[in-house]
Amino acid sequence: MSEAFKAAWAQLAKHSDPTLADLFAADPQRVDKFTGRLELGEGGILFDWSKTHLTDALIADFTALAEAAGFDEMRRRMFAGEVVNPTENRAAEHSALRGVGREASVEEAAALRERMKLLVQAIHDGALGEVKHLIHVGIGGSALGPALAVDALGRDLALVDVHVVSNIDGVALEEAFAACDPQTTLLAVASKTFTTIETMTNAQSALDWLAANGVADPAGRVIALTAAPEKAVEWGVDETRILPFAESVGGRYSIWSSIGFPVAVAIGWEDFQAFLDGAAAVDRHFRDTAGAANLPLRAAFSDLYYARIKGAETRAVFAYDERLGLLPDYLQQLEMESNGKSVTAEGDPVDGPTAPITWGGVGTDAQHAVFQLLHQGTHLVPIDFIASIAPGDALDPAHHRILLMNCFAQGAALMAGKQSEDPARSYPGNRPSATILCDDLDPATVGALIAFHEHRTFANAVLMGINPFDQFGVELGKEIAKKIEKGGEQFDPSTEALLAKAGLAG
Ligand code: F6P
């Protein structure tokens, strides 16, 4: 890490600690100053960081840090399709999938997307016979994005009933079988590598289920979504039903590739394209906006202030919208798999904490379960509240009104606190939150929300000097599982005892 980078961090640690109440009292323009808006054609998203401890002085010092960290150059490299993942010598070209990036990659992605569009439309037109259900097997980045997007956007209008199955636990697949008619079910096998044991085992069992239930050509019902098409061919998928994507697209950034196939099948091509376009609007904003007006970068300033300067070990995300119930799960992988690192991009030990633990839930449910700790517990937990002004339901407007009022009330209560003579009834207040308020939760907005978080995660990584695009930490456990399966190796006494107890000792 350069001396300038270290000095910028040292400078950030010198700030005093005004309370949120002090900050509001001192600056009548605070709401305007710390609020940003992203325009998305018909609607948009408002970001309000005024209830965080960001100040003009902190923003200035974080901006200096971004400069010292070479943020502009790293961002340029990412959009240019240059190597930004040095440990794997790879680019990270997820934005090219939505049309923003290196020209050749954008063109290649457009051609692959056209191929996917034809298949999706053929399915909707009945070319593969009647299709009522789609079982999508995949895990991690090959499942969390499709699950989130289908759940958020496919609720009312799903053209096809999609089931995303990730867990190797057969209970998950059996649940999907119980909900699907094999005669009208397609099987999507989603795996970047096409080797992941959970996915390949589930795929085989789903294929067996189709065969056992009298489907004449089970292999003909399979669509492969992968960056390793040759492996899909080996596995027996016909080339015409393989939808490839580029190696330079990371698993947790792959919802925009053919991994998004079940989303397009569920919501139709036009809405899927709108989902990509919403993400592309964020790409252009992130690529072209300098300094703190850049919304993902500003979010990273807030994240890093709490995680690195104030030592917050977690950050919480509460979606006050049932349709975003899976967003915390999605963000857990995006943020923790990207930035849960202990070494810098150069391989040196980091000199501060990296990604906090991302967790969360839906409001108002979470209020009645975990908010006690947020209001009165001893942990510092910066919170993001996410909501939509337009309702997702057609019931009495009271539902949505109460939902939104509760969302805003929680942010207000966390900040204001309340003193009481009885310590058990006192609220310390001065607890930070940001609010992300969407005009509506349409496909473009959901795409934009996801892309905003991708770039926020990247900005966090650059300002910590780490590589967000590798994930070697997931490998060791997989290796040991393979050794256990192979047998003949001795492990620690606890593991040996557990294996023996479960009848799995080699
Ligand atoms: O084990 C982690 C991981 O490699 C993720 O990064 C990835 O999204 C997931 O497994 C699934 O991998 P694949 O798409 O290759 O099956």
Side-chain angles (χ1 to χ4, degrees), residues 11-36:
Q11 171 61 28
L12 277 160
K14 289 184 187 155
H15 285 257
S16 61
D17 274 340
T19 64
L20 293 170
D22 291 342
L23 292 174
F24 273 97
D27 187 355
Q29 306 303 320
R30 183 163 178 82
V31 173
D32 284 347
K33 214 184 259 177
F34 290 92
T35 297

Side-chain angles (χ1 to χ4, degrees), residues 213-224:
N213 284 282
V215 172
D217 174 21
R221 311 293 284 168
V222 179
I223 290 121

Side-chain angles (χ1 to χ4, degrees), residues 74-430:
M74 283 302 288
R75 178 180 56 180
R76 186 201 64 72
R77 275 197 233 165
M78 181 173 73
F79 282 109
E82 293 175 20
V83 170
V84 285
N85 173 0
T87 52
E88 295 177 297
N89 198 30
R90 278 189 197 152
E93 297 200 275
H94 41 286
S95 68
L97 302 170
R98 3 207 234 217
V100 183
R102 189 172 77 107
E103 209 179 311
S105 308
V106 168
E107 278 168 19
E108 188 194 327
L112 292 174
R113 194 161 61 246
E114 191 56 29
R115 189 182 151 121
M116 170 160 135
K117 177 179 171 181
L118 293 176
L119 183 57
V120 169
Q121 287 176 339
I123 290 168
H124 288 150
D125 291 346
L128 298 189
E130 193 183 11
V131 175
K132 285 191 183 160
H133 312 279
L134 173 72
I135 297 180
H136 172 101
V137 297
I139 198 163
S142 295
L144 288 162
L148 165 64
V150 168
D151 193 43
L153 299 170
R155 287 180 170 240
D156 303 328
L157 293 171
L159 302 169
V160 171
D161 165 47
V162 173
H163 296 262
V164 176
V165 177
S166 50
N167 200 345
I168 184 68
D169 185 342
V171 171
L173 195 53
E174 278 181 349
E175 261 172 29
F177 293 161
C180 298
D181 161 21
Q183 301 301 328
T184 56
T185 297
L186 289 183
L187 172 63
V189 183
S191 174
K192 179 175 176 184
T193 54
F194 229 74
T195 56
T196 304
I197 187 160
E198 293 92 336
T199 301
M200 300 324 295
T201 308
N202 277 333
Q204 188 57 54
S205 295
L207 204 57
D208 294 348
W209 171 76
L210 291 174
N213 284 282
V215 172
D217 174 21
R221 311 293 284 168
V222 179
I223 290 121
L225 320 172
T226 184
E230 66 297 337
K231 293 230 170 59
V233 171
E234 254 170 58
W235 196 76
V237 187
D238 190 87
E239 238 166 315
T240 56
R241 276 174 286 96
I242 297 176
L243 298 175
F245 63 94
E247 187 62 44
S248 58
V249 175
R252 55 191 170 278
Y253 301 87
S254 64
I255 176 66
W256 323 101
S257 72
S258 60
I259 295 293
F261 171 77
V263 186
V265 169
I267 68 177
W269 192 263
E270 211 177 299
D271 280 346
F272 183 70
Q273 185 61 54
F275 172 71
L276 299 183
D277 292 344
V282 179
D283 291 330
R284 287 189 294 272
H285 165 86
F286 184 63
R287 184 193 60 188
D288 301 337
T289 309
N294 189 306
L295 298 167
L297 180 63
R298 182 131 40 129
F301 291 171
S302 172
D303 294 338
L304 292 166
Y305 174 72
Y306 291 114
R308 289 212 135 189
I309 311 284
K310 305 310 289 179
E313 292 193 324
T314 79
R315 93 171 191 94
V317 180
F318 294 101
Y320 274 66
D321 199 302
E322 193 69 18
R323 294 167 293 177
L324 294 178
L326 295 177
L327 185 65
D329 287 9
Y330 180 86
L331 295 181
Q332 270 181 343
Q333 181 189 28
L334 176 64
E335 298 177 5
M336 293 165 70
E337 195 168 73
S338 296
N339 290 347
K341 308 281 167 66
S342 298
V343 293
T344 65
E346 287 83 37
D348 301 319
V350 289
D351 54 6
T354 58
I357 294 158
T358 309
W359 65 284
V362 286
T364 59
D365 297 14
Q367 286 176 207
H368 299 272
V370 297
F371 273 45
Q372 163 63 38
L373 178 148
L374 298 176
H375 286 286
Q376 290 189 313
T378 52
H379 295 271
L380 167 65
V381 185
I383 297 169
D384 275 3
F385 292 110
I386 306 183
S388 162
I389 297 173
D393 67 289
L395 300 183
D396 183 334
H399 284 270
H400 200 64
R401 202 175 57 238
I402 295 168
L403 180 72
L404 284 187
M405 287 187 317
N406 267 279
C407 176
F408 305 149
Q410 291 300 325
L414 285 159
M415 178 166 80
K418 186 179 159 197
Q419 299 314 311
S420 161
E421 280 175 15
D422 177 356
R425 290 182 168 78
S426 273
Y427 300 73
N430 192 33

